[in-house]
Amino acid sequence: MENWGTSARKQKELSKLLDQWAVHITGKCGNKPLSSSAYLDEAEPFLEQYANQDLVGAAGVLVQAENLRDGEDDLQPERGTAPCSPTTSLDAVSKTEGLIVFFPGIPGCAKSVLCKEILEMPGGLGDNRPLHCMTGDLIGGRYWQKVADKRKEEPFRITLANKNAPNEEVWRQIEDICRTTKAAAAPVIPDSEGTDTNPFSLEALAVFMFRVLQRVNHDGHLDEALWNAGYVLLKFYNLYEGKSRSEFESDLYERFGFLVKTPLLKPDRSPLPGDVKSILDEGLSLFIDGRFPLRLLRKK
């Protein structure tokens, strides 16, 4: 890790993970060498369990089995070459240029909380680059142009773009900012199974809605006091319609060379209650048909 320039804080976090892995795997398999299939069968559930009890990585990244294979190339993926299940830690992003951390998500995906935690974390992201956050709800219109203008003032800085970035038009703007300010960009997405036509599952949408309806005095006024909050969430969800989860992840990785996932749902969770699924299905159907009664979802 020292040869790879891993920060002292990150070394401590990874050492804790590896110590627990050693206890786990020797307890189950002893000291005999593992086959590659057995390794993956054991590593994946261990890492998910570990992530649930202690978020891994500078931004609470859910590390997957692919990130623990031997070799520097696996820890620092080559840009433009997508692995089978692309997941990256922010530590793998180059520290020789500026960085834009952005969020292709939906309101309620915890981007503001994540930005706050990163800003308050001692040492930031583990290097000496200036770190700042630009919050869309406070900045208003022409947000991405303002991000570009701010980055031109200090291209080496790390920009936390605290605004939902839901479609290819926005992603192209971010690519342009990267080119003009010599920066890398790291998309941060909630981990979700998705559906055949949407990268986010109905369970994820239900969690996002629940979080939004618990808010009070939100900067963007998308909170429990907004009478059509449910409609706004359906509108955002529909912006992603037409891409499966794998297409969504592959597109982001091919564009930016990095992809960071944050844990969202427990792997051993109970199924989504039937009544909740029925309400979401009804709301999405009415929204797509243009017949959505705005008070329906909030009332239920």
Side-chain angles (χ1 to χ4, degrees), residues 99-236:
L99 174 64
I100 303 170
V101 179
F102 70 100
F103 301 87
I106 294 173
C109 68
K111 62 185 181 300
S112 295
V113 173
L114 188 56
C115 287
K116 180 176 181 291
E117 290 295 323
I118 293 174
L119 287 171
E120 294 179 354
M121 192 162 50
L125 293 180
D127 58 68
N128 60 357
R129 286 176 293 180
L131 179 66
H132 76 130
C133 180
M134 298 186 68
T135 300
D137 292 326
L138 301 177
I139 290 175
R142 293 175 56 81
Y143 173 83
W144 293 106
Q145 182 58 54
K146 292 175 182 176
V147 170
D149 293 342
K150 198 72 175 176
R151 287 202 48 76
K152 289 175 183 176
E153 297 174 6
E154 197 171 0
F156 189 59
R157 70 179 9 165
I158 297 172
T159 300
L160 303 179
N162 184 9
K163 181 179 177 65
N164 291 298
N167 53 38
E168 294 181 11
E169 180 183 351
V170 173
W171 301 349
R172 284 193 291 270
Q173 292 184 62
I174 297 171
E175 288 177 299
D176 289 340
I177 296 172
C178 289
R179 281 191 291 269
T180 57
T181 65
K182 297 181 179 179
V188 179
I189 60 173
D191 204 7
S192 172
E193 294 91 343
T195 70
D196 291 339
T197 59
N198 197 296
F200 297 102
S201 66
L202 287 182
E203 290 176 299
L205 176 60
V207 171
F208 299 152
M209 284 188 170
F210 177 79
R211 290 173 176 173
V212 166
L213 294 177
Q214 302 304 305
R215 292 173 175 173
V216 178
N217 298 323
H218 182 254
D219 290 331
H221 308 295
L222 182 56
D223 54 30
E224 56 89 24
L226 185 67
W227 65 276
N228 66 337
Y231 176 82
V232 174
L233 269 290
L234 290 182
K235 185 175 181 180
F236 268 95

Side-chain angles (χ1 to χ4, degrees), residues 64-85:
Q64 293 186 335
E66 286 81 358
N67 295 93
L68 287 187
R69 293 177 299 191
D70 293 335
E72 184 175 357
D73 290 340
D74 291 317
L75 292 176
Q76 300 184 358
E78 180 181 353
R79 297 186 68 158
T81 304
C84 295
S85 178

Side-chain angles (χ1 to χ4, degrees), residues 220-267:
H221 308 295
L222 182 56
D223 54 30
E224 56 89 24
L226 185 67
W227 65 276
N228 66 337
Y231 176 82
V232 174
L233 269 290
L234 290 182
K235 185 175 181 180
F236 268 95
Y237 185 82
N238 197 61
L239 289 174
Y240 294 92
E241 194 66 22
K243 278 186 184 289
S244 68
R245 183 69 183 193
S246 60
E247 292 170 336
F248 173 68
E249 292 185 3
S250 295
D251 193 356
L252 285 168
Y253 195 92
E254 289 170 6
R255 286 173 182 271
F256 301 103
F258 305 103
L259 186 59
V260 179
K261 298 180 186 179
T262 56
L264 179 64
L265 299 168
K266 294 181 178 180

